[in-house]
Amino acid sequence: MSEDVAPAMAAAAAPPMTLQQAIDHLVANEPAFALTEITLNGVRYKAFRNCPDTVAALLSQSRGAQDNGAADYLVYGVERWTFDAFTDEVDRVAEALQSQCGLAPGDRVAIAMRNYPEMLVLTLAAASIGAVVVFMNAWWTATELDYALHDSGPAVVFADGPRRAAIASLPQHARRTLVGVRDGEEGAAMTYSDLRDQGRAGGLRAVTLGPDDDFAIMYSSGTTGSPKGVVQTHRAAISAVYSWLMQAALAPLVAPPGPDDPPVLRPSALVTTPLFHVTALYPLFLLSLPAGAKIILMHKWDANDAIRVIKQEQVTRFLGVPTQSADLLEALETSGQDLPSLRFMGAGGAKRPAAQVASLAARFPRAVVATGWGMTETCALGIGMGGEDYILRPDAAGRLHPPVQELRITDDDGNEVPTGEIGEITVKSPAVMRCYLNQPDATAETLRDGWLLTGDLGCIDAEGFVTILDRKKNIIIRGGENIACLDVEGALHRHPDVIEACAFAVPDDRLGEVVGAALHLRAGAHLTASQIAEFLQGTVAHYKIPEKIWCQHDALPRASTEKTDRRAIRARCLGLNT
């Protein structure tokens, strides 16, 4: 994280401290970051001693950081909420969920919509009554929505227009309450506006809720082809948020501000990525609460509009996929404008091209250009770095965010490998998921004695900087969206002319990676990328459709195990040395 969200309690120190000295100083002297040990399922973890127990408690305890509720907190176009107005709406919607929808602790509430203010309200309202939020990918097709609805079994679904129409077309939709939001309210039997207006401020019934109760379910693509529901607890969410809050407090201790540094501005974050992903939900939205930050939502990504909003709202924090940083850089160069308020330029969801780092640092001299690595399974907490460290190591992922995480690089037998050698990145912390929903075998394969096997291969140097080299999982990351190769291949195999298919990542300057596929076609058949796209339209989400295809009438290469040799196929198609 960056100094733009540093709490007032983190006073600058002189002379500069080393990172470890700063960590030790905060842990010993700052009550918010004091540590303890906890035991979960027989596993010992480092944990924050004094953090809120639940997300609802995080909200209520953040009022002081938000100018005792008077500060502008949420902005969407011309709509604005103070923090008190926002929490009042949260309370009223929470009461309506209890009284009008009959929800109780443990019930699930699905949210299927683009980044609307109602999504933030509903997340906290559900958390306030002990319900579990199920985040539905707004880019999914009706078939994909149907899968997640059956998998998670929500009692109530809140959906905007396109998602409400898709869900209403499903044969089993009548078994759950479908509530229209924004453009989904017209013609809906139940609407968000009605629930909000019927909710009674101060009428919320108290519920018993603990830190290890479930907070949310987010879906993450896996190598099985079907999305996995990642179950995140309140403790996991709070552990991630407080870890980032601490990164902000560390910054002025390690690099004390100088007399020529830009003025300190109120932290203000522009949300440009979907809130149904961890990158926007945790280090932007939930972190904004205790950090005293303002949140601005964009209706749709547009670099020129982003420039306008950043200027108008004095945005200090920009965190998006690398393609958005590149778009912003190009728009600024074209328009000749500047964004002096920016103090942090982060990238998440996909690896930023190394060549982009120096360009961003030169264009935004007042901002810390940063990168981060995390997973849905870790509530986005993981590895990161910024500033000079990143400029010197643009290919690396960064160092482990302290203080509650542990990291190992291990071989296939789970043994830690020596420094500098390649192995699987494994992490352990209270921010790690509880389980994969309804998938005990997948959970057991991924979580072992509290350690999360990430499936990413990397190495760590003597200074603690981690470089991610490859992925064990066959995942394509297109502009921050995880795509399972088997998911794409399953859709391709439905085409009558496709005998077998192999999907893989194709490098792309703008999106990082796009989907490519090698196809074994029936004799005499010929297919183009546009024909494949037309065939797959409506079957899988648009971002999963291959943009590059290679066709042949011979069988695809196989390894000694008789499995399709994905690595060799990709290398041959892309003209790489095997």
Side-chain angles (χ1 to χ4, degrees):
M1 294 302 107
S2 160
E3 69 274 9
D4 74 294
V5 291
M9 56 192 171
M17 299 182 183
T18 66
L19 177 60
Q20 191 57 54
Q21 287 172 337
I23 294 169
D24 294 342
H25 173 80
L26 289 178
V27 169
N29 297 287
E30 194 49 68
F33 305 126
L35 294 179
T36 187
E37 283 194 348
I38 60 170
T39 300
L40 296 175
N41 300 317
V43 178
R44 300 287 288 175
Y45 295 89
K46 294 184 290 182
F48 291 107
R49 177 185 297 162
N50 301 317
C51 66
D53 282 342
T54 65
V55 171
L58 177 72
L59 175 65
S60 62
Q61 293 178 27
S62 297
R63 188 170 184 268
Q66 296 283 350
D67 194 19
N68 292 320
D72 275 354
Y73 174 64
L74 177 59
V75 178
Y76 178 72
V78 298
E79 302 174 48
R80 306 180 80 87
W81 288 258
T82 65
F83 190 77
D84 273 352
F86 175 77
T87 55
D88 177 70
E89 186 160 337
V90 170
D91 289 344
R92 286 187 285 122
V93 171
E95 195 279 333
L97 291 177
Q98 287 181 329
S99 63
Q100 305 299 315
C101 299
L103 296 183
D107 288 340
R108 292 171 183 162
V109 177
I111 303 176
M113 67 184 70
R114 65 185 311 148
N115 282 5
Y116 285 127
E118 290 83 353
M119 193 169 185
L120 306 186
V121 174
L122 286 164
T123 297
L124 295 177
S128 297
I129 65 169
V132 182
V133 185
V134 182
F135 292 97
M136 313 290 283
N137 190 317
W139 298 337
W140 278 342
T141 64
T143 300
E144 291 164 320
L145 289 167
D146 190 39
Y147 168 84
L149 289 171
H150 277 83
D151 186 53
S152 61
V156 180
V157 182
F158 288 85
D160 61 10
R163 266 53 64 176
R164 177 175 164 260
I167 293 169
S169 71
L170 300 174
Q172 302 297 322
H173 83 278
R175 294 184 179 178
R176 54 184 60 88
T177 301
L178 185 57
V179 183
V181 181
R182 293 271 166 167
D183 57 350
E185 291 197 352
E186 185 176 355
M190 184 177 291
T191 70
Y192 173 89
S193 296
D194 286 342
L195 286 177
R196 178 197 60 209
D197 295 343
Q198 293 165 5
R200 295 178 297 120
L204 191 65
R205 296 194 304 274
V207 297
T208 301
L209 195 64
D212 299 310
D213 288 324
D214 293 344
F215 159 60
I217 298 169
M218 276 190 171
Y219 280 86
S220 176
S221 293
T223 55
T224 60
S226 296
K228 293 189 182 79
V230 178
V231 181
Q232 303 159 338
T233 65
H234 286 264
R235 188 191 299 277
I238 301 298
S239 297
V241 167
Y242 264 62
S243 294
W244 289 311
L245 200 64
M246 185 172 178
Q247 308 322 302
L250 289 169
L253 301 177
V254 175
D260 297 327
D261 281 9
V264 176
L265 301 173
R266 182 196 173 197
S268 177
L270 181 65
V271 179
T272 64
T273 58
L275 285 158
F276 52 74
H277 284 330
V278 288
T279 301
L281 185 76
Y282 288 101
L284 287 179
F285 169 40
L286 291 184
L287 177 60
S288 74
L289 300 171
K294 178 172 62 174
I295 287 288
I296 300 99
L297 303 183
M298 290 188 69
H299 179 73
K300 183 179 181 181
W301 170 249
D302 177 89
N304 289 304
D305 192 42
I307 292 172
R308 178 190 62 79
V309 173
I310 291 169
K311 285 178 171 289
Q312 175 181 301
E313 300 296 336
Q314 289 287 282
V315 170
T316 63
R317 185 175 188 77
F318 183 93
L319 175 59
V321 294
T323 55
Q324 293 172 328
S325 296
D327 290 345
L328 194 62
L329 191 63
E330 182 179 358
L332 287 171
E333 291 175 351
T334 300
S335 65
Q337 298 185 73
D338 194 14
L339 297 174
S341 68
L342 283 182
R343 299 290 184 269
F344 182 86
M345 286 287 296
K351 187 178 184 299
R352 175 183 276 138
Q356 195 184 98
V357 179
S359 299
L360 288 170
R363 192 66 179 80
F364 300 102
R366 293 185 172 188
V368 173
V369 178
T371 187
W373 170 93
M375 303 176 69
T376 306
E377 289 86 343
T378 66
C379 294
L381 185 63
I383 298 165
M385 63 177 171
E388 192 67 20
D389 285 338
Y390 190 22
I391 294 171
L392 293 174
R393 305 169 183 83
D395 287 314
R399 288 193 278 205
L400 191 71
H401 288 314
V404 299
Q405 292 192 105
E406 300 174 61
L407 180 144
R408 293 176 181 170
I409 309 292
T410 59
D411 61 22
D412 289 340
D413 296 321
N415 302 310
E416 197 163 0
V417 302
T419 299
E421 292 194 11
I422 299 173
E424 183 173 5
I425 299 170
T426 63
V427 294
K428 174 186 173 185
S429 85
V432 168
M433 68 172 184
R434 181 173 68 81
C435 67
Y436 287 122
L437 183 65
N438 303 325
Q439 298 194 41
D441 291 344
T443 301
E445 291 175 3
T446 304
L447 275 178
R448 300 180 186 175
D449 298 322
W451 289 91
L452 177 77
L453 280 65
T454 69
D456 287 315
L457 300 176
C459 59
I460 187 170
D461 67 17
E463 296 180 90
F465 288 96
V466 176
T467 299
I468 299 173
L469 302 170
D470 204 346
R471 292 187 297 277
K472 279 189 173 181
K473 303 174 183 178
N474 294 318
I475 293 292
I476 301 164
I477 304 180
R478 180 190 184 277
E481 282 292 329
N482 287 354
I483 302 167
C485 288
L486 290 182
D487 198 8
V488 177
E489 291 163 4
L492 288 168
H493 281 137
R494 297 189 186 104
H495 194 287
D497 289 330
V498 174
I499 296 175
E500 59 179 338
C502 176
F504 49 83
V506 176
D508 184 83
D509 290 339
R510 184 171 182 273
L511 295 167
E513 294 176 347
V514 296
V515 181
L519 306 177
H520 173 199
L521 302 182
R522 299 187 185 280
H526 299 279
L527 287 175
T528 64
S530 60
Q531 289 172 325
I532 286 291
E534 182 178 357
F535 175 78
L536 295 179
Q537 192 70 37
T539 302
V540 296
H542 69 90
Y543 59 87
K544 299 180 183 179
I545 295 175
E547 297 184 33
K548 306 278 187 180
I549 66 168
W550 289 262
C551 298
Q552 62 186 58
H553 293 102
D554 298 320
L556 298 179
R558 281 173 157 64
S560 58
T561 59
E562 284 304 301
K563 293 182 179 179
T564 302
D565 192 342
R566 191 182 312 276
R567 185 183 296 270
I569 293 169
R570 179 180 184 272
R572 187 180 68 177
C573 291
L574 299 182
L576 304 175
N577 293 324
T578 55

